[in-house]
Amino acid sequence: TIPSTTTLSDLEDYYVWYNYMNADKTVEIVNYMKEEVEGGRQIFYPIYSEEEMRENPDKRNTGLFFFRGNPDSKFAIVNAGWCSVQPITEITVEDYDKAFNLDVRAVVDLTTRALPMIMETKGNIINLSSVGATHPAANLSMYTGAKAAIENFTRVWALELALKGVELMRLLQEQ
């Protein structure tokens, strides 16, 4: 519980990620994923090549989940992120690679691969952002840096794709 006397400058001590989770919805999603896999449909797509995963087996489970919508419906992409909570004095290049590969590279890769379907359906791209992109908190430089990149990609892609009938949006997650 955050005391009522807490000021804005004190909030970084209470960095809250998720404050509400619906257990029924979580079970529903997990069961859906299980049914898709049991039905032989691929829902997980690695973001690393086979060569990269052979060189570093930790990369094997890093990727994106993709769920098909209804036929002839608009197409959308929603992406999330990962965060290393540590000060710059402890960050390694490997931490940078992990954050930017998942939070940025994965978004670019998925977007460019799905773009033909998105343009064909005049669909939408929805990128998840964070207030951390413009209001960073201590010990979150990798996450806020990656989200700032997504913020700017979303703005640029919106300009590039508007005349093709594709709308880009961003959902801002509060910290």
mmCIF file of all heavy atoms in Angstrom, residues 74-117:
data_model
loop_
_atom_site.group_PDB
_atom_site.id
_atom_site.type_symbol
_atom_site.label_atom_id
_atom_site.label_comp_id
_atom_site.label_asym_id
_atom_site.label_seq_id
_atom_site.Cartn_x
_atom_site.Cartn_y
_atom_site.Cartn_z
ATOM 1 N N LYS A 74 -10.360 -6.440 -39.558
ATOM 2 C CA LYS A 74 -9.139 -5.639 -39.506
ATOM 3 C C LYS A 74 -8.071 -6.385 -38.731
ATOM 4 O O LYS A 74 -8.370 -7.173 -37.843
ATOM 5 C CB LYS A 74 -9.415 -4.290 -38.850
ATOM 6 C CG LYS A 74 -10.152 -3.333 -39.745
ATOM 7 C CD LYS A 74 -10.174 -1.959 -39.116
ATOM 8 C CE LYS A 74 -10.629 -0.948 -40.136
ATOM 9 N NZ LYS A 74 -10.413 0.403 -39.670
ATOM 10 N N PHE A 75 -6.855 -6.115 -39.076
ATOM 11 C CA PHE A 75 -5.711 -6.787 -38.497
ATOM 12 C C PHE A 75 -5.013 -5.821 -37.552
ATOM 13 O O PHE A 75 -4.888 -4.642 -37.865
ATOM 14 C CB PHE A 75 -4.768 -7.206 -39.631
ATOM 15 C CG PHE A 75 -3.612 -8.031 -39.177
ATOM 16 C CD1 PHE A 75 -3.679 -9.399 -39.198
ATOM 17 C CD2 PHE A 75 -2.449 -7.431 -38.743
ATOM 18 C CE1 PHE A 75 -2.604 -10.167 -38.794
ATOM 19 C CE2 PHE A 75 -1.372 -8.182 -38.336
ATOM 20 C CZ PHE A 75 -1.459 -9.563 -38.361
ATOM 21 N N ALA A 76 -4.581 -6.293 -36.422
ATOM 22 C CA ALA A 76 -3.905 -5.422 -35.458
ATOM 23 C C ALA A 76 -2.722 -6.141 -34.837
ATOM 24 O O ALA A 76 -2.694 -7.367 -34.755
ATOM 25 C CB ALA A 76 -4.863 -4.978 -34.368
ATOM 26 N N ILE A 77 -1.768 -5.366 -34.416
ATOM 27 C CA ILE A 77 -0.625 -5.880 -33.667
ATOM 28 C C ILE A 77 -0.626 -5.184 -32.318
ATOM 29 O O ILE A 77 -0.772 -3.962 -32.236
ATOM 30 C CB ILE A 77 0.701 -5.548 -34.374
ATOM 31 C CG1 ILE A 77 0.801 -6.278 -35.697
ATOM 32 C CG2 ILE A 77 1.877 -5.896 -33.467
ATOM 33 C CD1 ILE A 77 2.013 -5.886 -36.495
ATOM 34 N N VAL A 78 -0.470 -5.954 -31.284
ATOM 35 C CA VAL A 78 -0.298 -5.388 -29.952
ATOM 36 C C VAL A 78 0.961 -6.025 -29.387
ATOM 37 O O VAL A 78 1.137 -7.230 -29.460
ATOM 38 C CB VAL A 78 -1.507 -5.703 -29.046
ATOM 39 C CG1 VAL A 78 -1.315 -5.114 -27.669
ATOM 40 C CG2 VAL A 78 -2.794 -5.176 -29.670
ATOM 41 N N ASN A 79 1.842 -5.225 -28.851
ATOM 42 C CA ASN A 79 3.103 -5.760 -28.344
ATOM 43 C C ASN A 79 3.336 -5.334 -26.911
ATOM 44 O O ASN A 79 2.749 -4.370 -26.448
ATOM 45 C CB ASN A 79 4.259 -5.301 -29.238
ATOM 46 C CG ASN A 79 4.349 -3.809 -29.278
ATOM 47 O OD1 ASN A 79 4.765 -3.196 -28.318
ATOM 48 N ND2 ASN A 79 3.954 -3.192 -30.372
ATOM 49 N N ALA A 80 4.190 -6.057 -26.249
ATOM 50 C CA ALA A 80 4.487 -5.753 -24.850
ATOM 51 C C ALA A 80 5.971 -5.507 -24.675
ATOM 52 O O ALA A 80 6.660 -5.194 -25.638
ATOM 53 C CB ALA A 80 4.012 -6.904 -23.974
ATOM 54 N N GLY A 81 6.485 -5.675 -23.480
ATOM 55 C CA GLY A 81 7.892 -5.414 -23.254
ATOM 56 C C GLY A 81 8.446 -6.159 -22.065
ATOM 57 O O GLY A 81 7.736 -6.845 -21.345
ATOM 58 N N TRP A 82 9.714 -6.002 -21.881
ATOM 59 C CA TRP A 82 10.446 -6.625 -20.787
ATOM 60 C C TRP A 82 11.288 -5.555 -20.123
ATOM 61 O O TRP A 82 11.666 -4.582 -20.758
ATOM 62 C CB TRP A 82 11.345 -7.728 -21.338
ATOM 63 C CG TRP A 82 12.279 -8.280 -20.317
ATOM 64 C CD1 TRP A 82 11.998 -9.266 -19.423
ATOM 65 C CD2 TRP A 82 13.622 -7.879 -20.064
ATOM 66 N NE1 TRP A 82 13.087 -9.507 -18.628
ATOM 67 C CE2 TRP A 82 14.098 -8.678 -19.004
ATOM 68 C CE3 TRP A 82 14.466 -6.924 -20.620
ATOM 69 C CZ2 TRP A 82 15.376 -8.545 -18.496
ATOM 70 C CZ3 TRP A 82 15.736 -6.800 -20.117
ATOM 71 C CH2 TRP A 82 16.195 -7.602 -19.068
ATOM 72 N N CYS A 83 11.590 -5.749 -18.860
ATOM 73 C CA CYS A 83 12.321 -4.718 -18.148
ATOM 74 C C CYS A 83 13.371 -5.312 -17.225
ATOM 75 O O CYS A 83 13.088 -6.213 -16.447
ATOM 76 C CB CYS A 83 11.335 -3.903 -17.328
ATOM 77 S SG CYS A 83 12.104 -2.667 -16.302
ATOM 78 N N SER A 84 14.568 -4.779 -17.321
ATOM 79 C CA SER A 84 15.624 -5.083 -16.370
ATOM 80 C C SER A 84 15.633 -3.943 -15.353
ATOM 81 O O SER A 84 15.818 -2.786 -15.723
ATOM 82 C CB SER A 84 16.964 -5.130 -17.100
ATOM 83 O OG SER A 84 18.014 -5.173 -16.191
ATOM 84 N N VAL A 85 15.387 -4.256 -14.103
ATOM 85 C CA VAL A 85 15.355 -3.218 -13.067
ATOM 86 C C VAL A 85 16.708 -3.212 -12.376
ATOM 87 O O VAL A 85 16.973 -4.010 -11.486
ATOM 88 C CB VAL A 85 14.220 -3.474 -12.044
ATOM 89 C CG1 VAL A 85 14.192 -2.382 -10.993
ATOM 90 C CG2 VAL A 85 12.881 -3.601 -12.756
ATOM 91 N N GLN A 86 17.570 -2.309 -12.847
ATOM 92 C CA GLN A 86 18.894 -2.206 -12.266
ATOM 93 C C GLN A 86 19.531 -0.877 -12.680
ATOM 94 O O GLN A 86 19.217 -0.332 -13.729
ATOM 95 C CB GLN A 86 19.759 -3.393 -12.685
ATOM 96 C CG GLN A 86 19.939 -3.539 -14.173
ATOM 97 C CD GLN A 86 20.458 -4.897 -14.566
ATOM 98 O OE1 GLN A 86 19.720 -5.681 -15.109
ATOM 99 N NE2 GLN A 86 21.722 -5.170 -14.293
ATOM 100 N N PRO A 87 20.417 -0.371 -11.850
ATOM 101 C CA PRO A 87 21.074 0.890 -12.178
ATOM 102 C C PRO A 87 22.106 0.703 -13.292
ATOM 103 O O PRO A 87 22.562 -0.414 -13.545
ATOM 104 C CB PRO A 87 21.742 1.294 -10.862
ATOM 105 C CG PRO A 87 21.987 0.002 -10.157
ATOM 106 C CD PRO A 87 20.846 -0.897 -10.545
ATOM 107 N N ILE A 88 22.475 1.785 -13.932
ATOM 108 C CA ILE A 88 23.447 1.747 -15.017
ATOM 109 C C ILE A 88 24.770 1.132 -14.563
ATOM 110 O O ILE A 88 25.472 0.514 -15.352
ATOM 111 C CB ILE A 88 23.664 3.160 -15.628
ATOM 112 C CG1 ILE A 88 24.563 3.088 -16.870
ATOM 113 C CG2 ILE A 88 24.247 4.121 -14.603
ATOM 114 C CD1 ILE A 88 24.017 2.281 -18.005
ATOM 115 N N THR A 89 25.088 1.252 -13.289
ATOM 116 C CA THR A 89 26.338 0.686 -12.774
ATOM 117 C C THR A 89 26.355 -0.837 -12.817
ATOM 118 O O THR A 89 27.415 -1.445 -12.697
ATOM 119 C CB THR A 89 26.592 1.143 -11.329
ATOM 120 O OG1 THR A 89 25.451 0.788 -10.533
ATOM 121 C CG2 THR A 89 26.840 2.642 -11.258
ATOM 122 N N GLU A 90 25.187 -1.458 -13.010
ATOM 123 C CA GLU A 90 25.099 -2.921 -13.059
ATOM 124 C C GLU A 90 24.699 -3.454 -14.432
ATOM 125 O O GLU A 90 24.673 -4.658 -14.646
ATOM 126 C CB GLU A 90 24.080 -3.411 -12.026
ATOM 127 C CG GLU A 90 24.463 -3.085 -10.599
ATOM 128 C CD GLU A 90 23.363 -3.457 -9.617
ATOM 129 O OE1 GLU A 90 22.424 -4.177 -10.000
ATOM 130 O OE2 GLU A 90 23.443 -3.008 -8.463
ATOM 131 N N ILE A 91 24.361 -2.581 -15.368
ATOM 132 C CA ILE A 91 23.862 -3.015 -16.668
ATOM 133 C C ILE A 91 25.005 -3.492 -17.554
ATOM 134 O O ILE A 91 26.081 -2.902 -17.570
ATOM 135 C CB ILE A 91 23.082 -1.873 -17.347
ATOM 136 C CG1 ILE A 91 21.767 -1.671 -16.599
ATOM 137 C CG2 ILE A 91 22.825 -2.160 -18.823
ATOM 138 C CD1 ILE A 91 20.953 -0.510 -17.090
ATOM 139 N N THR A 92 24.719 -4.564 -18.288
ATOM 140 C CA THR A 92 25.692 -5.099 -19.229
ATOM 141 C C THR A 92 25.142 -4.933 -20.645
ATOM 142 O O THR A 92 23.956 -4.641 -20.837
ATOM 143 C CB THR A 92 25.936 -6.597 -18.970
ATOM 144 O OG1 THR A 92 24.720 -7.306 -19.241
ATOM 145 C CG2 THR A 92 26.389 -6.850 -17.538
ATOM 146 N N VAL A 93 25.988 -5.150 -21.615
ATOM 147 C CA VAL A 93 25.548 -5.114 -23.011
ATOM 148 C C VAL A 93 24.512 -6.216 -23.246
ATOM 149 O O VAL A 93 23.581 -6.050 -24.030
ATOM 150 C CB VAL A 93 26.748 -5.247 -23.970
ATOM 151 C CG1 VAL A 93 26.299 -5.427 -25.404
ATOM 152 C CG2 VAL A 93 27.642 -4.021 -23.844
ATOM 153 N N GLU A 94 24.645 -7.324 -22.542
ATOM 154 C CA GLU A 94 23.666 -8.406 -22.664
ATOM 155 C C GLU A 94 22.284 -7.937 -22.198
ATOM 156 O O GLU A 94 21.262 -8.309 -22.786
ATOM 157 C CB GLU A 94 24.107 -9.640 -21.874
ATOM 158 C CG GLU A 94 25.279 -10.379 -22.489
ATOM 159 C CD GLU A 94 26.638 -9.703 -22.244
ATOM 160 O OE1 GLU A 94 26.783 -8.885 -21.295
ATOM 161 O OE2 GLU A 94 27.564 -9.986 -23.025
ATOM 162 N N ASP A 95 22.225 -7.122 -21.139
ATOM 163 C CA ASP A 95 20.946 -6.558 -20.682
ATOM 164 C C ASP A 95 20.344 -5.663 -21.764
ATOM 165 O O ASP A 95 19.141 -5.703 -22.034
ATOM 166 C CB ASP A 95 21.127 -5.742 -19.394
ATOM 167 C CG ASP A 95 21.569 -6.590 -18.217
ATOM 168 O OD1 ASP A 95 21.089 -7.737 -18.091
ATOM 169 O OD2 ASP A 95 22.402 -6.107 -17.436
ATOM 170 N N TYR A 96 21.207 -4.854 -22.375
ATOM 171 C CA TYR A 96 20.757 -3.991 -23.470
ATOM 172 C C TYR A 96 20.192 -4.844 -24.611
ATOM 173 O O TYR A 96 19.106 -4.588 -25.118
ATOM 174 C CB TYR A 96 21.916 -3.127 -23.984
ATOM 175 C CG TYR A 96 21.606 -2.457 -25.298
ATOM 176 C CD1 TYR A 96 20.939 -1.236 -25.326
ATOM 177 C CD2 TYR A 96 21.947 -3.054 -26.506
ATOM 178 C CE1 TYR A 96 20.630 -0.631 -26.535
ATOM 179 C CE2 TYR A 96 21.645 -2.452 -27.713
ATOM 180 C CZ TYR A 96 20.982 -1.243 -27.719
ATOM 181 O OH TYR A 96 20.668 -0.652 -28.908
ATOM 182 N N ASP A 97 20.955 -5.863 -25.023
ATOM 183 C CA ASP A 97 20.509 -6.727 -26.118
ATOM 184 C C ASP A 97 19.168 -7.361 -25.806
ATOM 185 O O ASP A 97 18.273 -7.401 -26.651
ATOM 186 C CB ASP A 97 21.536 -7.823 -26.405
ATOM 187 C CG ASP A 97 22.784 -7.305 -27.100
ATOM 188 O OD1 ASP A 97 22.736 -6.183 -27.668
ATOM 189 O OD2 ASP A 97 23.806 -8.015 -27.078
ATOM 190 N N LYS A 98 19.002 -7.861 -24.596
ATOM 191 C CA LYS A 98 17.746 -8.512 -24.229
ATOM 192 C C LYS A 98 16.580 -7.527 -24.291
ATOM 193 O O LYS A 98 15.534 -7.822 -24.871
ATOM 194 C CB LYS A 98 17.856 -9.123 -22.831
ATOM 195 C CG LYS A 98 16.631 -9.926 -22.434
ATOM 196 C CD LYS A 98 16.844 -10.647 -21.121
ATOM 197 C CE LYS A 98 15.634 -11.496 -20.781
ATOM 198 N NZ LYS A 98 15.804 -12.204 -19.510
ATOM 199 N N ALA A 99 16.753 -6.353 -23.704
ATOM 200 C CA ALA A 99 15.671 -5.361 -23.686
ATOM 201 C C ALA A 99 15.327 -4.878 -25.089
ATOM 202 O O ALA A 99 14.156 -4.849 -25.480
ATOM 203 C CB ALA A 99 16.065 -4.171 -22.802
ATOM 204 N N PHE A 100 16.334 -4.523 -25.869
ATOM 205 C CA PHE A 100 16.048 -3.961 -27.190
ATOM 206 C C PHE A 100 15.648 -5.024 -28.211
ATOM 207 O O PHE A 100 14.875 -4.743 -29.114
ATOM 208 C CB PHE A 100 17.226 -3.104 -27.671
ATOM 209 C CG PHE A 100 17.159 -1.709 -27.114
ATOM 210 C CD1 PHE A 100 17.487 -1.456 -25.795
ATOM 211 C CD2 PHE A 100 16.725 -0.658 -27.898
ATOM 212 C CE1 PHE A 100 17.395 -0.187 -25.264
ATOM 213 C CE2 PHE A 100 16.637 0.631 -27.378
ATOM 214 C CZ PHE A 100 16.967 0.866 -26.053
ATOM 215 N N ASN A 101 16.134 -6.252 -28.045
ATOM 216 C CA ASN A 101 15.692 -7.316 -28.943
ATOM 217 C C ASN A 101 14.218 -7.637 -28.722
ATOM 218 O O ASN A 101 13.475 -7.846 -29.674
ATOM 219 C CB ASN A 101 16.529 -8.581 -28.771
ATOM 220 C CG ASN A 101 17.848 -8.480 -29.501
ATOM 221 O OD1 ASN A 101 18.011 -7.684 -30.420
ATOM 222 N ND2 ASN A 101 18.796 -9.291 -29.080
ATOM 223 N N LEU A 102 13.796 -7.677 -27.481
ATOM 224 C CA LEU A 102 12.396 -7.994 -27.208
ATOM 225 C C LEU A 102 11.493 -6.782 -27.403
ATOM 226 O O LEU A 102 10.460 -6.863 -28.064
ATOM 227 C CB LEU A 102 12.235 -8.532 -25.782
ATOM 228 C CG LEU A 102 10.809 -8.954 -25.423
ATOM 229 C CD1 LEU A 102 10.323 -10.058 -26.350
ATOM 230 C CD2 LEU A 102 10.745 -9.412 -23.986
ATOM 231 N N ASP A 103 11.872 -5.651 -26.850
ATOM 232 C CA ASP A 103 10.998 -4.480 -26.870
ATOM 233 C C ASP A 103 11.011 -3.722 -28.192
ATOM 234 O O ASP A 103 10.039 -3.040 -28.513
ATOM 235 C CB ASP A 103 11.385 -3.502 -25.744
ATOM 236 C CG ASP A 103 11.112 -4.068 -24.368
ATOM 237 O OD1 ASP A 103 10.614 -5.198 -24.272
ATOM 238 O OD2 ASP A 103 11.401 -3.373 -23.384
ATOM 239 N N VAL A 104 12.096 -3.801 -28.953
ATOM 240 C CA VAL A 104 12.189 -3.030 -30.198
ATOM 241 C C VAL A 104 12.307 -3.952 -31.413
ATOM 242 O O VAL A 104 11.484 -3.880 -32.326
ATOM 243 C CB VAL A 104 13.372 -2.030 -30.155
ATOM 244 C CG1 VAL A 104 13.446 -1.227 -31.444
ATOM 245 C CG2 VAL A 104 13.244 -1.098 -28.954
ATOM 246 N N ARG A 105 13.320 -4.788 -31.434
ATOM 247 C CA ARG A 105 13.520 -5.654 -32.608
ATOM 248 C C ARG A 105 12.289 -6.496 -32.898
ATOM 249 O O ARG A 105 11.882 -6.643 -34.056
ATOM 250 C CB ARG A 105 14.726 -6.555 -32.389
ATOM 251 C CG ARG A 105 14.961 -7.489 -33.566
ATOM 252 C CD ARG A 105 16.121 -8.415 -33.337
ATOM 253 N NE ARG A 105 16.319 -9.217 -34.540
ATOM 254 C CZ ARG A 105 16.795 -10.423 -34.529
ATOM 255 N NH1 ARG A 105 17.140 -10.983 -33.385
ATOM 256 N NH2 ARG A 105 16.934 -11.092 -35.646
ATOM 257 N N ALA A 106 11.708 -7.076 -31.869
ATOM 258 C CA ALA A 106 10.528 -7.923 -32.066
ATOM 259 C C ALA A 106 9.377 -7.138 -32.678
ATOM 260 O O ALA A 106 8.660 -7.640 -33.548
ATOM 261 C CB ALA A 106 10.106 -8.544 -30.740
ATOM 262 N N VAL A 107 9.197 -5.909 -32.254
ATOM 263 C CA VAL A 107 8.119 -5.062 -32.800
ATOM 264 C C VAL A 107 8.379 -4.751 -34.269
ATOM 265 O O VAL A 107 7.481 -4.857 -35.116
ATOM 266 C CB VAL A 107 7.988 -3.760 -31.983
ATOM 267 C CG1 VAL A 107 7.019 -2.798 -32.640
ATOM 268 C CG2 VAL A 107 7.553 -4.080 -30.562
ATOM 269 N N VAL A 108 9.617 -4.392 -34.601
ATOM 270 C CA VAL A 108 9.956 -4.085 -35.993
ATOM 271 C C VAL A 108 9.796 -5.335 -36.856
ATOM 272 O O VAL A 108 9.199 -5.291 -37.938
ATOM 273 C CB VAL A 108 11.395 -3.525 -36.094
ATOM 274 C CG1 VAL A 108 11.824 -3.379 -37.553
ATOM 275 C CG2 VAL A 108 11.492 -2.182 -35.372
ATOM 276 N N ASP A 109 10.290 -6.466 -36.366
ATOM 277 C CA ASP A 109 10.213 -7.707 -37.129
ATOM 278 C C ASP A 109 8.761 -8.106 -37.381
ATOM 279 O O ASP A 109 8.369 -8.385 -38.518
ATOM 280 C CB ASP A 109 10.968 -8.811 -36.379
ATOM 281 C CG ASP A 109 11.082 -10.091 -37.185
ATOM 282 O OD1 ASP A 109 11.204 -10.013 -38.427
ATOM 283 O OD2 ASP A 109 11.062 -11.174 -36.574
ATOM 284 N N LEU A 110 7.959 -8.135 -36.342
ATOM 285 C CA LEU A 110 6.559 -8.525 -36.502
ATOM 286 C C LEU A 110 5.809 -7.544 -37.395
ATOM 287 O O LEU A 110 5.032 -7.939 -38.269
ATOM 288 C CB LEU A 110 5.873 -8.627 -35.141
ATOM 289 C CG LEU A 110 4.404 -9.025 -35.171
ATOM 290 C CD1 LEU A 110 4.221 -10.399 -35.793
ATOM 291 C CD2 LEU A 110 3.818 -8.989 -33.776
ATOM 292 N N THR A 111 6.044 -6.258 -37.204
ATOM 293 C CA THR A 111 5.350 -5.253 -38.011
ATOM 294 C C THR A 111 5.695 -5.397 -39.489
ATOM 295 O O THR A 111 4.804 -5.399 -40.340
ATOM 296 C CB THR A 111 5.698 -3.833 -37.514
ATOM 297 O OG1 THR A 111 5.312 -3.727 -36.140
ATOM 298 C CG2 THR A 111 4.980 -2.775 -38.326
ATOM 299 N N THR A 112 6.973 -5.527 -39.812
ATOM 300 C CA THR A 112 7.352 -5.620 -41.224
ATOM 301 C C THR A 112 6.842 -6.908 -41.851
ATOM 302 O O THR A 112 6.443 -6.915 -43.019
ATOM 303 C CB THR A 112 8.879 -5.506 -41.411
ATOM 304 O OG1 THR A 112 9.533 -6.512 -40.631
ATOM 305 C CG2 THR A 112 9.375 -4.125 -41.004
ATOM 306 N N ARG A 113 6.806 -7.998 -41.105
ATOM 307 C CA ARG A 113 6.296 -9.259 -41.643
ATOM 308 C C ARG A 113 4.785 -9.219 -41.852
ATOM 309 O O ARG A 113 4.267 -9.809 -42.792
ATOM 310 C CB ARG A 113 6.656 -10.423 -40.723
ATOM 311 C CG ARG A 113 8.122 -10.763 -40.719
ATOM 312 C CD ARG A 113 8.399 -11.827 -39.664
ATOM 313 N NE ARG A 113 9.811 -11.989 -39.433
ATOM 314 C CZ ARG A 113 10.492 -13.068 -39.794
ATOM 315 N NH1 ARG A 113 9.889 -14.057 -40.411
ATOM 316 N NH2 ARG A 113 11.776 -13.146 -39.542
ATOM 317 N N ALA A 114 4.076 -8.555 -40.957
ATOM 318 C CA ALA A 114 2.611 -8.515 -41.024
ATOM 319 C C ALA A 114 2.089 -7.369 -41.887
ATOM 320 O O ALA A 114 0.899 -7.341 -42.212
ATOM 321 C CB ALA A 114 2.035 -8.403 -39.618
ATOM 322 N N LEU A 115 2.942 -6.451 -42.271
ATOM 323 C CA LEU A 115 2.504 -5.254 -42.992
ATOM 324 C C LEU A 115 1.688 -5.547 -44.250
ATOM 325 O O LEU A 115 0.685 -4.867 -44.491
ATOM 326 C CB LEU A 115 3.699 -4.358 -43.300
ATOM 327 C CG LEU A 115 3.398 -2.884 -43.498
ATOM 328 C CD1 LEU A 115 2.543 -2.306 -42.384
ATOM 329 C CD2 LEU A 115 4.692 -2.108 -43.611
ATOM 330 N N PRO A 116 2.042 -6.534 -45.066
ATOM 331 C CA PRO A 116 1.189 -6.795 -46.233
ATOM 332 C C PRO A 116 -0.263 -7.104 -45.849
ATOM 333 O O PRO A 116 -1.198 -6.591 -46.476
ATOM 334 C CB PRO A 116 1.860 -8.005 -46.896
ATOM 335 C CG PRO A 116 3.298 -7.895 -46.495
ATOM 336 C CD PRO A 116 3.257 -7.357 -45.087
ATOM 337 N N MET A 117 -0.483 -7.904 -44.794
ATOM 338 C CA MET A 117 -1.851 -8.211 -44.348
ATOM 339 C C MET A 117 -2.528 -6.977 -43.772
ATOM 340 O O MET A 117 -3.715 -6.759 -43.986
ATOM 341 C CB MET A 117 -1.831 -9.319 -43.295
ATOM 342 C CG MET A 117 -1.492 -10.685 -43.837
ATOM 343 S SD MET A 117 -1.602 -11.966 -42.556
ATOM 344 C CE MET A 117 -0.100 -11.635 -41.629
#
